[in-house]
Amino acid sequence: MSPPSLTSALAALEWEKIVARLCAHASSGPGRDRCAALTPFVDLDLIRASLEENRDARKLVLAENPLPLEGLSEIGSQVEQAHKGAVLSPADLLQIGKTARNGERIRKFFDERKGRYPRLSRYANALPPLRELAEEIDWKIDPAGLVLDRASATLGKLRQRLASVRLRLQEKANEIATSPRYQRHVQESYTTLRSGRVVIPFKTAAKGLFQGIVHDTSQSGQTIFFEPEELVHLNNEVKMAEIEVDREVARILAELTASVACKGEELLECRDALAALDFIQARALLAEEMAAAEPTVTDGGETALVSARHPLMVLGKKVVVPNDIRLGRPYQCLVLTGPNAGGKTVALKTLGTLTLMAMAGLSIPAEGESTVSIFPHLFVAVGDEQSVEQDLSTFSAHIRRLNGILSESGPGSLVLLDEVVSGTDPREGAAIARAFLEALADRDVRVVATTHFEELKAIAFQDKRFENGSMEFDPEHLRPTYRLRIGIPGRSMGMEIARGLGFPEEVLARAATYLSAEGQKLAEVLDQLDLERAKMRAEAAELAVRRREAEEAKRKFDADRAKARDDESKALSKARDRIREEVRKAEAQMRSVTEELRKDRKIETVRKAQTVLREWKEKAAVAESEDPVLRANISRTMPVAPDTVLPQGRKVFVLSLKKEGEVASVVSPGDREVEVNAGGMKVRIGRDQLRVFPAPVAAPSARQRPSGGSTGGVDGLSGDIFPQTADNTIDLRGAYVDDALPEIDAFLDRLAMAHANHAFIIHGHGTGALKAGVRRHLRNSPYAKRFLPAPREQGGDGVTIVVLA
């Protein structure tokens, strides 16, 4: 529920227009009712949950068609009537049937997509089973509201009998109308109905000539509508048949109503769950229309909007200049200055409206890196509140409004003031405005105020709680650019605008002589600041271009180097395979020749052949030593000194096998051979064939470890230094937990295969769900020996460092 202090802010910021656009995206009456009732709230958990629902719903809308919720109706009154014993009409029963059928359809939709939209699935899981009721209503009532013959065996027979009696009645009436006895007395040869009975139009002169009943006369008095006695019995028979049909239809409707009464609670649960889904989907569709994003929401009083746009301008298809707006850190009050119609009020309203939207769980038209704080109290003073009825001047009304803000605001309040203190002497107005803003700052209130008072521009240079902001103005074309500049005060540009509008130059020249020296000096300083800022922007743009060119050159260089290494490795591999093949051929030939030579006892020839074979083997060994993979492992390891003790489990690289392994048992300094587990088998290898990897860094002892810390947990007091590179870093910001976990496993597996010591996982803060999910997963990961938050300079708690096992 919205706090009372937000009510006037909602009106000032035109909240009803945003709500109206949201309602237009709802598919059903109950969904529109939910949208229409939307107001900001201050429960941080609920706000974050709503934004997560928006993400899920937008994912659904983009991947598939929107949920078909048009069949949902407001059925509360019908269910209540059924409980009270009233018989529902076919139209009411059809509405209930559509709602029940919609519930079954939506539940099936999410059952077929388990785990894909978890935040929406919880509403689908709340849908009760109503299939039998929906099928019963569909079976017995057609879409036009007619109770079908198949609704009961009796109804079909009664309707057949009624049709037969009606046919006999019609045939008899036609026979009378054309018979010689009545023909000259009949006004028209047709039959009609009066009081639900079939009659024949007779001439008035025939009245009293025949036995029967007169039901009506024509307006002219020339015709009577007569029921001859031959039709009385058949009309009575039709009436009795109709009564029996109506009774059976009423019985069927009562039976269906009883079924509705039995399922009343489930039907209302179905309506509520479907209305909630319609409400969430409407929020997602509105977000897509505005190209909005889900911000990070906190309660710390800090707002940082990136590329923010006013939602009503976006929805109105107007060209909008996005702006970055910050408030709360390091300053708590922002004073906006600049020319009239330059966008100050729009910037102020953008901050207020986007704050309200985020507090209502809506996505906002800004970048996803934006942060919005919730404010339990929000005060907006925009526009002139002069009142003739209350005999209030503009100044009096303004002071009354500011007095109300001063009495009600405090920590946790946001105050938005357009033209703070107006309608009085500028010097007194500036003094009151400054004192008022300082009083708000003393109460830790967040403030954005627009003003034309030159004196207020100086506050930011004297009080760190204040900061200047201005709307940029293009002096060459004499028009605003609508870009917000933080840190630089702006000029009103009254003289320049008047000159651009054709105001007489001699009048402007005279006006310039009346400006104070301080005012002229300030204007000159601001002009110089604008020139310096423009110069810095141009230099920054040039540096950005050069940086992009350098990054592109580095990417190209890295790609070329990787390709060269790959080509080199492939070429060496082919050469090595070719030499091995030649060696195998030579050995085969050698065995054959050796056998023959032994028979001839020419041992010198044998020795010569063996020499040739040894040379080939040496060439193969040289080719193998050129293998980049082998070189990389050699560069990461060191030889085993003769006096080194190798503990059990020490990681080693076996040169002869070109494989990694572990020492199977403790090796003493005098041992010349080492038992190694490598490639799934246990072998004995000479010391000279082993190289050892650096010993792993020991984990902190229990005494060093912080309270609550444990292996595999978050260790925030580690003294280790962890270098960060592009290869050992993965950025998961914006990902869903379910999508992120498989990526983490693949990333850690790749680093483990490369024998990396540690990894960096960037998850950000956000709602905290991704961070919690990542760390929960790491506690059970075979890859993680332990993990800890990164130091502040490497991302702080928004980054997790994983020490690999």
Side-chain angles (χ1 to χ4, degrees):
M1 186 174 178
S2 175
S5 60
L6 291 178
T7 304
S8 61
L10 294 174
L13 296 175
E14 302 177 281
W15 179 253
E16 73 283 355
K17 293 183 180 180
I18 294 173
V19 169
R21 196 55 163 258
L22 177 66
C23 290
H25 285 294
S27 301
S28 67
R32 277 186 289 275
D33 291 342
R34 292 284 297 270
C35 293
L38 178 65
T39 54
F41 45 95
V42 294
D43 188 316
L44 193 58
D45 291 335
L46 287 179
I47 293 171
R48 289 173 173 171
S50 295
L51 293 174
E52 290 295 333
E53 290 171 352
N54 293 356
R55 288 192 180 94
D56 247 16
R58 295 178 73 179
K59 183 179 174 183
L60 184 152
V61 167
L62 291 175
E64 323 195 31
N65 291 324
L67 296 173
L69 296 165
E70 295 83 1
L72 174 62
S73 303
E74 179 49 64
I75 57 172
S77 61
Q78 291 92 325
V79 171
E80 184 179 358
Q81 290 175 33
H83 272 297
K84 291 180 178 178
V87 177
L88 299 179
S89 68
D92 288 339
L93 290 166
L94 283 176
Q95 280 191 350
I96 289 172
K98 285 180 181 178
T99 298
R101 189 164 55 252
N102 241 28
E104 290 297 313
R105 185 187 305 121
I106 297 302
R107 188 175 53 181
K108 181 181 178 183
F109 175 90
F110 283 100
D111 282 345
E112 293 171 351
R113 294 160 178 80
K114 283 190 181 297
R116 199 176 301 177
Y117 311 110
R119 294 158 193 85
L120 304 184
S121 294
R122 69 186 190 91
Y123 293 99
N125 294 337
L127 289 167
L130 294 168
R131 179 179 175 182
E132 290 183 5
L133 178 61
E135 289 179 347
E136 184 181 9
I137 293 173
D138 285 347
W139 177 255
K140 295 182 177 181
I141 303 176
D142 74 359
L146 175 68
V147 178
L148 296 166
D149 290 353
R150 66 190 183 193
S152 74
T154 304
L155 181 60
K157 293 177 181 177
L158 290 174
R159 280 184 173 160
Q160 287 177 2
R161 179 168 169 265
L162 174 59
S164 175
V165 175
R166 280 177 174 166
L167 179 60
R168 286 192 287 119
L169 172 61
Q170 191 62 47
E171 288 175 347
K172 187 63 175 177
N174 292 337
E175 178 185 329
I176 291 172
T178 57
S179 69
R181 180 185 178 192
Y182 295 105
Q183 192 169 18
R184 66 191 183 91
H185 302 288
V186 172
Q187 187 74 277
E188 298 286 346
S189 296
Y190 66 86
T191 62
T192 185
L193 290 176
R194 286 295 185 273
S195 303
R197 300 175 74 85
V198 174
V199 297
I200 302 170
F202 272 57
K203 296 175 182 178
T204 305
K207 187 177 181 182
L209 297 178
F210 305 101
Q211 291 294 317
I213 304 170
V214 176
H215 287 272
D216 199 1
T217 61
S218 66
Q219 288 184 352
S220 66
Q222 300 299 312
T223 304
I224 61 171
F225 295 96
F226 184 63
E227 180 184 0
E229 63 178 347
E230 295 95 325
L231 296 183
V232 172
H233 174 71
L234 288 172
N235 267 320
N236 290 341
E237 195 172 346
V238 167
K239 193 64 178 178
M240 292 302 296
E242 287 176 344
I243 291 172
E244 290 181 358
V245 168
D246 290 343
R247 282 177 181 164
E248 181 61 16
V249 168
R251 188 193 67 78
I252 293 168
L253 293 177
E255 190 177 76
L256 288 173
T257 300
S259 298
V260 169
C262 289
K263 293 288 185 179
E265 188 174 339
E266 290 91 332
L267 283 166
L268 296 180
E269 289 174 0
C270 178
R271 176 205 60 187
D272 292 343
L274 293 177
L277 286 170
D278 194 12
F279 175 44
I280 295 169
Q281 182 166 272
R283 301 198 313 253
L285 293 172
L286 179 64
E288 288 300 310
E289 184 182 9
M290 296 188 298
E294 292 71 46
T296 299
V297 181
T298 71
D299 57 1
E302 179 183 0
T303 294
L305 299 173
V306 182
S307 296
R309 296 157 291 142
H310 195 287
L312 295 181
M313 296 181 70
V314 174
L315 295 172
K317 310 300 181 186
K318 296 180 180 179
V319 177
V320 185
V321 176
N323 278 305
D324 296 346
I325 308 174
R326 304 184 68 89
L327 184 67
R329 187 182 298 177
Y331 52 87
Q332 64 190 69
C333 300
L334 179 64
V335 178
L336 291 179
T337 51
N340 288 320
K344 300 189 300 296
T345 303
V346 172
L348 178 143
K349 286 186 172 183
T350 299
L351 172 66
T353 306
L354 267 55
T355 298
L356 291 177
M357 290 179 68
M359 289 173 62
L362 295 176
S363 307
I364 63 173
E367 295 299 321
E369 309 92 72
S370 300
T371 298
V372 178
S373 176
I374 62 173
F375 293 98
H377 305 284
L378 198 159
F379 304 90
V380 182
V382 178
D384 186 1
E385 289 194 357
Q386 182 178 15
S387 174
V388 176
E389 293 180 358
Q390 298 181 24
D391 193 24
L392 293 177
S393 67
T394 299
F395 177 71
S396 300
H398 205 67
I399 290 298
R400 176 174 291 184
R401 181 165 51 180
L402 296 184
N403 189 42
I405 293 173
L406 203 57
S407 63
E408 296 180 35
S409 61
S413 297
L414 172 63
V415 176
L416 306 177
L417 301 170
D418 191 28
E419 295 301 337
V420 55
V421 184
S422 59
T424 189
D425 176 77
R427 290 172 300 171
E428 291 186 352
I432 295 172
R434 176 164 184 168
F436 177 74
L437 293 177
E438 288 175 343
L440 291 178
D442 292 341
R443 301 183 183 191
D444 198 26
V445 175
R446 303 294 183 261
V447 183
V448 179
T450 71
T451 184
H452 283 286
F453 292 143
E454 295 288 341
E455 294 83 350
L456 294 185
K457 300 174 185 178
I459 303 182
F461 301 107
Q462 302 165 358
D463 191 332
K464 292 183 179 180
R465 299 174 300 175
F466 290 81
E467 181 59 278
N468 279 316
S470 61
M471 305 309 297
E472 189 179 60
F473 190 83
D474 183 354
E476 182 179 349
H477 299 95
L478 295 176
R479 64 188 180 196
T481 65
Y482 304 107
R483 292 191 183 93
L484 174 63
R485 304 177 300 177
I486 301 294
I488 297 181
R491 294 174 55 198
S492 296
M493 305 299 291
M495 302 280 279
E496 289 80 357
I497 294 172
R499 182 175 287 110
L501 294 174
F503 209 63
E505 188 63 40
E506 61 272 16
V507 177
L508 293 175
R510 180 178 294 183
T513 63
Y514 298 145
L515 288 174
S516 64
E518 291 80 3
Q520 289 180 345
K521 186 175 181 179
L522 178 60
E524 291 172 2
V525 170
L526 292 177
D527 286 342
Q528 186 61 36
L529 281 174
D530 282 340
L531 290 174
E532 292 295 329
R533 189 179 181 89
K535 182 180 177 181
M536 290 177 62
R537 277 204 304 269
E539 291 176 352
E542 184 180 353
L543 288 173
V545 171
R546 292 182 180 179
R547 180 178 179 180
R548 285 196 297 270
E549 291 174 349
E551 289 175 347
E552 182 60 31
K554 182 179 182 301
R555 279 195 296 271
K556 187 175 184 303
F557 173 76
D558 290 343
D560 291 344
R561 182 172 63 177
K563 186 177 183 301
R565 285 179 175 175
D566 187 53
D567 292 345
E568 178 189 13
S569 179
K570 289 179 180 177
L572 289 171
S573 179
K574 288 181 180 178
R576 184 171 63 246
D577 292 342
R578 189 166 58 250
I579 292 173
R580 284 176 176 172
E581 182 62 26
E582 293 294 333
V583 169
R584 281 195 295 271
K585 290 180 180 178
E587 286 178 336
Q589 293 176 357
M590 187 66 187
R591 282 193 296 271
S592 175
V593 171
T594 300
E595 191 60 32
E596 293 180 6
L597 290 175
R598 280 178 178 165
K599 292 178 181 177
D600 295 340
R601 299 185 180 278
K602 295 181 180 179
I603 195 64
E604 294 81 4
T605 307
V606 173
R607 288 174 179 168
K608 185 177 180 181
Q610 288 176 338
T611 300
V612 173
L613 180 61
R614 186 170 58 254
E615 291 174 354
W616 273 100
K617 287 185 176 180
E618 289 173 356
K619 290 179 181 179
V622 171
E624 289 181 356
S625 67
E626 294 297 319
D627 187 345
V629 176
L630 182 63
R631 289 207 309 269
N633 277 292
I634 290 175
S635 68
R636 294 167 51 227
T637 57
M638 53 188 173
V640 181
D643 58 347
T644 301
V645 175
L646 295 178
Q648 183 178 359
R650 181 69 181 272
K651 286 184 66 175
V652 295
F653 182 74
V654 184
L655 293 171
S656 56
L657 299 177
K658 293 192 287 301
K659 291 182 180 293
E660 295 179 19
E662 290 184 352
V663 176
S665 56
V666 178
V667 179
S668 302
D671 295 336
R672 299 181 60 185
E673 289 190 336
V674 180
E675 193 171 40
V676 176
N677 289 320
M681 58 182 182
K682 188 178 290 186
V683 293
R684 295 192 67 81
I685 303 293
R687 271 182 184 260
D688 58 342
Q689 290 296 309
L690 291 183
R691 295 179 69 86
V692 293
F693 289 95
V697 179
S701 65
R703 186 176 301 172
Q704 295 171 317
R705 204 172 285 137
S707 61
S710 62
T711 302
V714 177
D715 184 355
L717 300 178
S718 173
D720 297 339
I721 297 175
F722 299 98
Q724 185 175 5
T725 66
D727 292 334
N728 68 4
T729 303
I730 184 171
D731 190 343
L732 299 173
R733 285 176 293 184
Y736 292 113
V737 176
D738 293 340
D739 297 335
L741 299 186
E743 289 190 37
I744 291 173
D745 288 341
F747 168 66
L748 295 180
D749 183 71
R750 185 168 67 252
L751 290 182
M753 294 294 290
H755 303 291
N757 294 323
H758 60 273
F760 286 79
I761 299 175
I762 303 175
H763 42 66
H765 299 287
T767 63
L770 180 59
K771 175 170 64 179
V774 167
R775 292 178 175 175
R776 187 167 55 248
H777 183 68
L778 290 174
R779 288 191 183 94
N780 300 316
S781 172
Y783 300 105
K785 186 174 184 180
R786 61 190 176 95
F787 58 90
L788 62 154
R792 172 181 288 184
E793 62 272 12
Q794 290 179 302
D797 201 35
V799 178
T800 296
I801 298 176
V802 183
V803 178
L804 298 175

